């Protein structure tokens, strides 16, 4: 490896690194504003100046490629004076409004000014003022604070793939602006807040709510999609004030979606915090013991073996396991997670996983999207696809309705029957797939939520097998689920063959016949007409569709109010952390089923969460390894597919901002729907 001398120490570095990166290897922190390792190099701010031997003046370390034999000095008087000069220029027009700035306490400019700033200014002219820009309901702008680092512009263009932001003018008249004074149309727009090194771009919903040092910071995982992004939840008392991304190169890098970041105001709205029982068609507050007594009596009356449980979008593994064990203890196996009718191949885990892994998506040189809109279904994963498009010249083909994606693609067909042409090599996209070193197939829920779902998985498996090229660490078949609860439920066997192929129809037939007790575990997506004459027990945290049809409502904590286990789309077991106490009388779901089981002969044995997890791991060893990516399984144990019938693929998400019970309760997401989606119709 080549070597470089930094402050009289020899440092090895990799080819292609900059001087700044070499300094970081040596443990030397170089101040910067414009540089970010996920964005292109701009060299705007000049704060990263260092001295290089034989150079007549200091160099910008962020833009200078490191080379063998370089001699770099980072702490000389020349370097210090140069950085002080840069800082003086930056502060000439910067307002002295730190006490009212939401960036205060987390501001890079504040930190750097402490080391390189002066206690008074030599600039006697009036400071310039810049008009604030409208960037929509999420990002607040105070553009007088802007130092023109252009991080926001480069992120929008390179990562988010929208051209809404840019730099207009030059010199003192330069401004960061939205060219047409409109809302940023990106599902990742909130990340510019984290990227901004000053207080020019801040969170509009969070404005003036608290100071960062007042907040309790908890590291956990996101549940709004099946990615499981690493996040930090900041709370004040029992209120969630903001959500920020944590760096996780394997999953979300350092980005999160706008829904993950801003839908949190929905956590405090329309909440269920008391136990209710329906009497004379009216819900009345009751006690936990009375509610459990009513449920157990109804179960005995309507038949223990007929009792049904249906999971929702946020149902954690502990809830699924305890409900399954409870139903099994009373003689029922009627539980399922497939409320969207998505099919899979029983006994083949790679029929419902993102087998290529999220990180490896960016290495793809061809991608076939089938019935999937990754921009709305998994925004952070979509950024990986765009990365592959930019870096690898990745060719992308789409089967399904035409989409507004942030990269170019070839629209192959609206109908899933186009897979027949790919199988028999008559499709125009076949040559691209077969000539690729890293081809990837991404199959969305919209493609597999019909009776032919298994056939389509088999067809894609056959295509993937032809592309495998005997690579041991490669599986091109990827299923993109939208809900964080789904993979864990399938791993637990939380399904019943009675509901195969057409979930709602089969469920309706069974309910009409038996009229049983039905447990809805945060399930708010099914039609209320299905449950006429049934005794519905809703266990959840928001008063919405599920609660409106319930005979008994049992309040449970939201994802920030308990420690729970989930499995993300690539099969990685994640464990969230409790950030604050639950509201009112809310109890964890596993406790409810444990208490309910006391009314029956075969009561559940675990008395705490630790015992439950020990029992879970013994029965399902797959949950024993946390945060670990499962080994790539390139085996294809699927049936030979028949001919795929013609069926137009219609995406099942119509509104990115409001497609679950929490986001539908969010005022911020409602504003996004109004200002972004509705304005584009």
């Amino acid at each position: 490896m080549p070597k470089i001398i930094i402050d009289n120490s020899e440092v090895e570095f990799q080819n292609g690194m900059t001087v700044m990166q070499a300094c970081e290897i040596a443990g030397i922190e170089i101040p910067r504003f414009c540089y970010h390792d996920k964005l292109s190099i701009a060299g705007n701010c000049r704060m990263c100046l260092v001295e290089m031997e034989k150079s007549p003046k200091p160099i910008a370390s962020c833009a200078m490629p490191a080379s063998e034999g370089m001699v770099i000095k980072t702490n000389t008087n020349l370097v210090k004076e140069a950085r002080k000069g840069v800082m003086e220029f930056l502060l000439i027009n910067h307002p002295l409004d730190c006490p009212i700035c939401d960036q205060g306490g987390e501001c890079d400019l504040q930190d750097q000014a402490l080391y390189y700033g002066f206690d008074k200014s030599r600039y006697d002219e009036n400071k310039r003022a810049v008009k604030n820009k409208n960037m929509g309901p999420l990002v607040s702008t105070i553009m007088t604070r802007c130092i023109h680092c252009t991080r926001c512009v480069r992120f929008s263009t390179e990562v988010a793939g929208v051209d809404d932001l840019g730099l207009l003018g030059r010199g003192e008249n330069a401004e960061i602006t939205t060219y047409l004074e409109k809302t940023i149309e990106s599902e990742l727009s909130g990340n510019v807040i984290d990227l901004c090194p000053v207080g020019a771009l801040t969170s509009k919903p969070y404005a003036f709510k608290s100071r960062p040092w007042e907040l309790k910071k908890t590291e956990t995982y996101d549940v709004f999609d099946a990615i499981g992004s690493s996040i930090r939840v900041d709370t004040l008392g029992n209120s969630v004030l903001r959500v920020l991304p944590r760096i996780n190169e394997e999953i979300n890098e350092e980005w999160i979606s706008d829904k993950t970041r801003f839908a949190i105001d929905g956590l405090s709205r329309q909440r269920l915090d008391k136990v209710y029982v329906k009497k004379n068609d009216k819900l009345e507050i009751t006690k936990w013991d009375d509610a459990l007594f009513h449920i157990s009596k109804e179960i005995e009356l309507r038949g223990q073996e007929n009792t049904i449980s249906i999971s929702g979008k946020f149902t954690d593994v502990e809830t699924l396991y305890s409900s399954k064990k409870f139903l099994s203890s009373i003689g029922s196996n009627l539980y399922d997670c497939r409320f969207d009718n998505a099919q899979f191949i029983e006994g083949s885990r790679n029929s419902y996983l993102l087998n290529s892994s999220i990180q490896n998506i960016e290495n793809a040189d061809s991608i076939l999207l089938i019935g999937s809109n990754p921009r709305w279904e998994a925004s952070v994963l979509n950024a990986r696809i765009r990365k592959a498009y930019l870096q690898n010249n990745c060719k992308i083909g789409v089967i399904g309705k035409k989409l507004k994606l942030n990269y170019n693609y070839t629209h192959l067909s609206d109908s899933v029957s186009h897979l027949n042409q790919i199988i028999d090599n008559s499709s125009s996209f076949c040559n691209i797939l077969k000539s690729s070193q890293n081809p990837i197939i991404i199959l969305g829920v919209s493609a597999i939520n019909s009776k032919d779902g298994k056939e389509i998985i088999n067809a894609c498996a056959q295509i993937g097998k032809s592309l495998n090229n005997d690579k041991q660490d490669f599986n091109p078949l990827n299923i993109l689920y939208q809900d964080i609860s789904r993979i864990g439920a399938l791993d637990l066997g939380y399904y019943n063959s009675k509901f195969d192929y057409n979930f709602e129809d089969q469920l309706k037939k069974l309910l009409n016949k038996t009229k049983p007790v039905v447990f809805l575990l945060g399930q708010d997506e099914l039609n209320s007409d299905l449950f006429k004459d049934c005794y519905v027990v809703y266990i959840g945290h928001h008063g919405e569709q599920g609660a409106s049809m319930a005979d008994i409502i049992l309040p449970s904590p939201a994802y920030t109010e308990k420690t729970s286990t989930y499995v993300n789309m690539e099969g990685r077991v994640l464990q969230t952390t409790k950030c604050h106490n639950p509201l009112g009388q809310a109890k964890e779901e596993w406790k409810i089923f444990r208490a309910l089981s006391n009314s029956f002969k075969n009561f559940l044995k675990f008395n705490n969460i630790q015992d439950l997890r020990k029992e879970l791991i013994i029965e399902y060893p797959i949950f024993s390894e946390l945060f670990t990516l499962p080994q790539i399984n390139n085996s294809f144990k699927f049936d030979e597919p028949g001919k795929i019938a013609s069926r137009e693929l219609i995406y099942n998400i119509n509104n990115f901002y409001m497609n679950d019970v929490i986001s539908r309760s969010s005022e911020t997401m409602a504003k996004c729907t109004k200002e972004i989606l509705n304005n584009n119709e």
Side-chain angles (χ1 to χ4, degrees), residues 510-579:
L510 189 63
L511 294 178
N512 289 340
K513 182 181 177 181
T514 61
K515 299 177 176 52
V517 173
V518 180
F519 288 93
L520 298 180
L521 309 181
Q523 173 51 250
D524 295 274
E525 313 303 322
L526 291 172
N527 192 335
S528 59
D529 293 338
L530 287 170
F531 304 100
K532 287 181 179 178
D533 300 323
C534 298
Y535 195 82
V536 178
V537 181
Y538 180 78
I539 305 177
H541 39 75
H542 277 76
E544 213 206 31
Q545 176 82 355
S548 69
M549 65 180 91
D551 295 284
I552 284 190
I553 296 174
L554 304 178
S556 65
Y559 78 103
T560 57
E561 300 164 6
K562 60 182 178 179
T563 299
S564 303
T565 305
Y566 294 95
V567 185
N568 80 341
M569 61 173 62
E570 50 186 356
R572 199 188 297 264
V573 181
L574 309 174
Q575 205 165 88
T576 64
T577 307
K578 182 179 178 180
C579 306

Side-chain angles (χ1 to χ4, degrees), residues 298-520:
E298 288 291 335
I299 289 174
E300 290 176 355
L301 181 66
R302 295 168 182 261
Q304 294 179 187
E305 70 284 359
N306 299 326
T307 308
I308 296 175
S309 178
I310 307 169
S311 65
K313 289 189 172 187
F314 300 128
T315 315
D316 56 79
V317 169
E318 288 84 0
T319 301
L320 292 164
Y321 180 75
S322 59
S323 64
K324 182 182 178 181
K325 294 295 286 187
F326 171 71
L327 260 66
S328 298
S329 72
I330 61 174
S332 172
N333 62 352
L334 300 174
Y335 36 76
D336 217 305
C337 61
R338 298 170 294 173
F339 57 89
D340 55 7
N341 204 44
Q343 306 295 306
F344 71 102
I345 311 295
E346 192 171 355
S348 296
R349 197 174 190 232
N350 53 1
S351 73
Y352 56 86
L353 289 186
L354 194 89
N355 295 291
S356 298
S357 84
I358 294 169
Q359 191 172 23
N360 281 335
I361 294 292
E362 64 187 53
N363 298 322
D365 50 1
S366 69
I367 297 176
L368 179 62
L369 292 174
I370 308 164
S372 174
N373 180 0
R375 187 167 176 179
W376 281 9
E377 294 170 15
S379 305
V380 174
L381 182 136
N382 190 61
R384 298 271 193 181
I385 297 176
R386 176 168 170 80
K387 201 178 204 180
Y389 168 75
L390 293 176
Q391 295 182 356
N392 306 335
N393 193 27
C394 180
K395 308 297 182 189
I396 300 162
V398 171
I399 298 177
K401 289 284 189 182
K402 287 186 177 180
L403 296 165
K404 189 178 180 182
L405 297 174
N406 47 13
Y407 38 80
N408 294 330
Y409 65 88
T410 302
H411 182 248
L412 302 175
S413 175
D414 286 353
S415 174
V416 72
S417 60
H418 190 83
L419 287 173
N420 296 321
Q421 297 180 40
I422 295 177
I423 291 172
D424 61 25
N425 290 321
S426 60
S427 171
S428 58
F429 204 69
C430 286
N431 289 334
I432 293 172
L433 286 172
K434 290 188 180 294
S435 61
S436 300
Q437 293 298 309
N438 293 298
I440 281 176
I441 302 167
I442 297 178
L443 193 56
V445 170
S446 300
I448 59 174
N449 63 354
S450 188
K451 290 182 179 180
D452 60 354
K454 292 183 181 181
E455 283 292 309
I456 291 167
I457 295 173
N458 283 323
C460 291
Q462 182 173 329
I463 297 167
K465 195 171 183 178
S466 69
L467 304 172
N468 193 21
N469 297 324
D470 297 323
K471 292 182 180 178
Q472 295 301 311
D473 59 346
F474 174 75
N475 188 338
L477 178 62
N478 298 278
I479 313 299
L480 203 165
Y481 275 106
Q482 300 160 3
D483 309 320
I484 192 69
S485 68
R486 184 61 52 88
I487 306 301
L490 295 177
D491 283 342
L492 280 170
Y494 205 85
Y495 54 85
N496 191 297
S497 57
K498 288 183 180 180
F499 304 119
D500 280 356
Y501 303 111
N502 197 324
F503 181 82
E504 283 204 16
D505 282 356
Q506 299 299 330
L507 179 64
K508 188 176 182 179
K509 288 178 184 176
L510 189 63
L511 294 178
N512 289 340
K513 182 181 177 181
T514 61
K515 299 177 176 52
V517 173
V518 180
F519 288 93
L520 298 180

